Structures are given as C-alpha cells and as structure tokens.
Amino acid sequence: DWDSESSRNLVKLARAYPHEIDLIVTGSLTNIAGAFVLDPEFFSLIKGMYFMGGITAPLIFEKKEMKELNFSVDYKASTLVLQNGENLHIITGNACLAVMTSYSDFKERLENSSLGQYILKKESDWLAYNDREYGIKGFYNWDMTTVLYYFYPELFEDSLQWIRLMDTDLQEGYLIEGNEGEGNQINLPKLK
C-alpha cells in the first residue's frame, strides 16, 4: 500500500528537514513512491537517495541465475521513483559482485569473539542456502555495499548514466542504459 504510515512519516521528515535528509534504500521502493504521491515536492526536499537494487546484466552463479529482489518487487513504484527522483545513486547487484567474502575468511574473522560466534551461528543457514542453491562459496554483502558507498565514496568510481526506466525492464529489475535525455541520469558507482 503506497499510502502507509512510513510514506506519511517520510513526507513529515522531508518537510521538517528540507535538503538535509539522505535516504538509504535497501528494499522495495513502495514507501518512497507513496511519499511522492502524497507530496509531489517530496523528491525536491530530499538531499540524495542511495539504493541497493537493480541489475545491469544477469546474476549467473555456478548453479543458477539469481533474480533481482528489490526494484522488481514493486516495479511500478521503482519506475515512479527512478523517473522522478533527484540525486540518485544505485549500487546494482552486479556492482556488489566485486567483493565476496569466502566462508573460511568469514569464519576466521569472526570466530574469536562471542559476537562473531553469534553472527556465524545466525548466518550459517544463509551461507548453506547460498552454496546449496547458487553454488556461492561465501557471502556477498549486498545491502551494506550501499552503506559503504554512502560513507566512503572514495572507494568507488562514479558512473553517471542515462537509464531509460521502463516498466518492462524494471519488472525484472533491469537498469538499461538509454540515449542522452532518455529516462533519468543516475549514478551507478562501482568499487575501484
């Protein structure tokens, strides 16, 4: 539901703190679209938006293809937000593939502390699932790569591109480069 408590709260915060708020978005864009529908000035009040989502090419692993799971969930909201938003930065699923932590590396870094052991225990099912279903022998830190870009942009190379933003592309989570003036200009950073 685009008209949600979250959407209304986003509008209130944007109005209370114009040009001071950056949004880090690591899921569907439903609430963001809802905020824009409630207040057509919403995007002009937001300082910047940082997303984890979208793909520029299929995510093919050893065993099978992984489908995009953020922009495609509510592709109509994604289309609306990405067509109308300002100062957009998207860390795509493909960009996240630049760094994988192997299971042995993950274990070595975490096993010597009680918090690390807790994380290993909680993540063991996820790591086993990734290996069993996709043949991934470790962990891609999908969502946190966007947070990393937000706090340490110097680790990335910016790439401002025209993205055409059609429903048919975003149904599958695809961000397709367009011609100049087609769609919206969006930064698709990549780790250096």
Side-chain angles (χ1 to χ4, degrees), residues 53-59 65-76 78-79 93-94 164 166-176:
I55 54 176
T56 55
L59 298 174
E65 179 179 355
M66 181 181 288
K67 299 297 183 184
E68 197 277 341
L69 298 174
N70 288 355
F71 292 172
S72 60
V73 171
D74 186 350
Y75 69 90
K76 289 184 183 285
S78 298
T79 303
N94 307 88
R164 70 182 191 188
M166 298 172 58
D167 275 353
T168 53
D169 298 334
L170 287 166
Q171 282 178 320
E172 301 295 322
Y174 276 98
L175 298 171
I176 307 293

Side-chain angles (χ1 to χ4, degrees), residues 147-158 189-190 192:
V147 176
L148 181 68
Y149 173 70
Y150 182 77
F151 286 105
Y152 300 99
E154 67 275 8
L155 299 176
F156 293 76
E157 183 177 324
D158 287 335
K190 294 180 176 64
K192 288 183 179 175

Side-chain angles (χ1 to χ4, degrees), residues 78-139:
S78 298
T79 303
L80 182 74
V81 170
L82 299 178
Q83 282 178 344
N84 295 285
E86 301 172 18
N87 195 16
L88 308 177
H89 309 269
I90 300 174
I91 304 295
T92 66
N94 307 88
C96 292
L97 299 181
V99 179
M100 183 188 79
T101 304
S102 69
Y103 179 71
S104 58
D105 208 21
F106 195 64
K107 186 176 178 187
E108 181 182 314
R109 291 170 187 259
L110 295 175
E111 67 186 351
N112 294 325
S113 73
S114 58
L115 177 59
Q117 289 174 11
Y118 172 81
I119 292 169
L120 281 171
K121 183 178 177 186
K122 290 293 186 183
E123 293 297 320
S124 63
D125 288 342
W126 176 248
L127 292 166
Y129 170 80
N130 279 327
D131 187 17
R132 183 179 64 252
E133 293 296 316
Y134 295 100
I136 300 170
K137 307 284 186 213
F139 179 74

